[in-house]
Amino acid sequence: MTRHQKEIIIKNVFLIFSLISIFILGLIVVFLFREGIPLFKEVSLRDFIFGMEWYPTYSPPSYGIWPLIVGSLIVTVFSSLIAVPLGVLSAVYISEIAPPAIKEVLKAIIELLAGLPSVVLGFFGMVIVAPWLQATFDLPTGLNIVNASVILAIMAVPTISSISEDALYAVPNEFKEASYALGATKFETIARIIIPSALSGISTAVILGMARAIGETMVVLMVAGGAAALPESIFDSVRPMPASIAAEMGEAPFRSGHYHALFATAIVLFLMTLAFNLIADYISQKFKEVGSATL
Amino acid sequence: MTGQTVSGNMKRRYLKQHLFFGAVRLSAVILTLALGGILFYILVN
């Protein structure tokens, strides 16, 4: 066999494997829509999205998922408020400030955090954070938005930190040298040269971290409290979409209204995570011209 | 620019720098404590 023939075979093997992956993903999406869309024979899209009551087992049932959407968004926003500064600043520390020994230790810690199973973190939230919140703030339950946000933030930090660190590391040394040559301090070089140059990668990291938080199931199932109602304070329980799907899918009769409603909820969740990924991609492309530091 | 203004500017620059580096180091400490706390709890219990 000639080298050229080998090249062609290898190229086609890679092509076949990538097409198989895309085909399987496509089938999942088709299945999701096939099982979700029949709900809209019973309920209008407007009532489904903006309905305030989620009582799928009542007679007659109510399939309004607005409280679930708000629950998902609110825990994502609050977890991002915690995870974004922690993740980005730790990435700056690792890539620009830390001595080599500490850098290695911190990188290992972040990789360990990324490897912690979500059920372990959820368990930690249930047995440590929830009782502490309940006792400290005198709450009826510690399973609430704050608890879910803190645990989700711990889950999102490794994603944000490692992608941001890669982006910061990719900033060309010439930029830093030019900044120092002009008399800038280390802080000014980091704040005005390195971070703006790595903005595309950092923004991508933030959006992917948020996408991770919004799609996370086990943590919100365990620590968000499970109340399908609009929250009035950050200490109220919520029921984000993934928690609802995971908790109810086992008990929903096959091809019932409830079953289709859960698949329709999954479509909404899928579209939201897709939007996050598209935004990340757009930001990554938009800021590409800022230096050569892009992911 | 008088000597006092220059000194004021430098003070502000150093303050900003200290605050930034403080925040950066604090974030690393928080991350270490978070993981350390979780691992400690799992191992102890």
Side-chain angles (χ1 to χ4, degrees), chain A residues 32-89:
Chain A
L32 196 64
F33 277 86
R34 199 193 71 178
E35 298 297 310
I37 284 174
L39 175 80
F40 300 109
K41 288 176 194 158
E42 284 181 51
V43 192
S44 71
L45 181 65
R46 189 170 164 273
D47 288 346
F48 176 66
I49 301 285
F50 296 108
M52 300 298 280
E53 290 178 337
W54 174 254
Y55 298 128
T57 52
Y58 278 28
S59 184
S62 300
Y63 298 119
I65 61 161
W66 187 242
L68 312 186
I69 294 175
V70 171
S72 277
L73 290 177
I74 209 158
V75 292
T76 305
V77 168
F78 277 100
S79 67
S80 304
L81 288 179
I82 303 168
V84 171
L86 265 181
V88 174
L89 290 178

Side-chain angles (χ1 to χ4, degrees), chain A residues 206-263:
Chain A
V206 169
I207 302 287
L208 291 180
M210 288 175 82
R212 169 117 205 248
I214 203 169
E216 173 52 37
T217 305
M218 191 50 79
V219 164
V220 288
L221 183 64
M222 292 173 84
V223 301
L230 283 180
E232 289 171 358
S233 98
I234 53 168
F235 294 114
D236 281 353
S237 295
V238 286
R239 190 184 186 95
M241 288 182 282
S244 204
I245 296 166
E248 296 169 32
M249 190 50 92
E251 66 197 37
F254 185 60
R255 298 252 159 104
S256 62
H258 189 187
Y259 172 90
H260 291 307
L262 290 173
F263 270 96

Side-chain angles (χ1 to χ4, degrees), chain A residues 33-216:
Chain A
F33 277 86
R34 199 193 71 178
E35 298 297 310
I37 284 174
L39 175 80
F40 300 109
K41 288 176 194 158
E42 284 181 51
V43 192
S44 71
L45 181 65
R46 189 170 164 273
D47 288 346
F48 176 66
I49 301 285
F50 296 108
M52 300 298 280
E53 290 178 337
W54 174 254
Y55 298 128
T57 52
Y58 278 28
S59 184
S62 300
Y63 298 119
I65 61 161
W66 187 242
L68 312 186
I69 294 175
V70 171
S72 277
L73 290 177
I74 209 158
V75 292
T76 305
V77 168
F78 277 100
S79 67
S80 304
L81 288 179
I82 303 168
V84 171
L86 265 181
V88 174
L89 290 178
S90 61
V92 169
Y93 182 70
I94 291 169
S95 68
E96 298 299 324
I97 300 168
I102 295 181
K103 184 188 270 191
E104 290 310 311
V105 172
L106 264 176
K107 280 174 97 166
I109 285 175
I110 287 170
E111 275 159 27
L112 255 174
L113 264 180
L116 273 178
S118 54
V119 68
V120 172
L121 285 172
F123 180 71
F124 187 77
M126 272 178 103
V127 298
I128 298 289
V129 184
W132 179 79
L133 278 175
Q134 198 172 0
T136 309
F137 298 100
D138 194 22
L139 303 169
T141 174
L143 303 175
N144 51 34
I145 295 170
V146 174
N147 193 344
S149 304
V150 169
I151 303 294
L152 281 178
I154 295 174
M155 290 202 70
V157 161
T159 307
I160 297 174
S161 184
S162 54
I163 300 176
S164 299
E165 194 212 325
D166 286 344
L168 290 165
Y169 189 72
V171 175
N173 262 336
E174 292 86 338
F175 286 20
K176 300 175 200 172
E177 284 161 7
S179 171
Y180 289 132
L182 288 170
T185 61
K186 187 160 192 170
F187 160 66
E188 287 163 344
T189 304
I190 292 171
R192 296 188 190 168
I193 305 296
I194 299 173
I195 292 179
S197 302
L199 203 61
S200 120
I202 293 173
S203 312
T204 308
V206 169
I207 302 287
L208 291 180
M210 288 175 82
R212 169 117 205 248
I214 203 169
E216 173 52 37

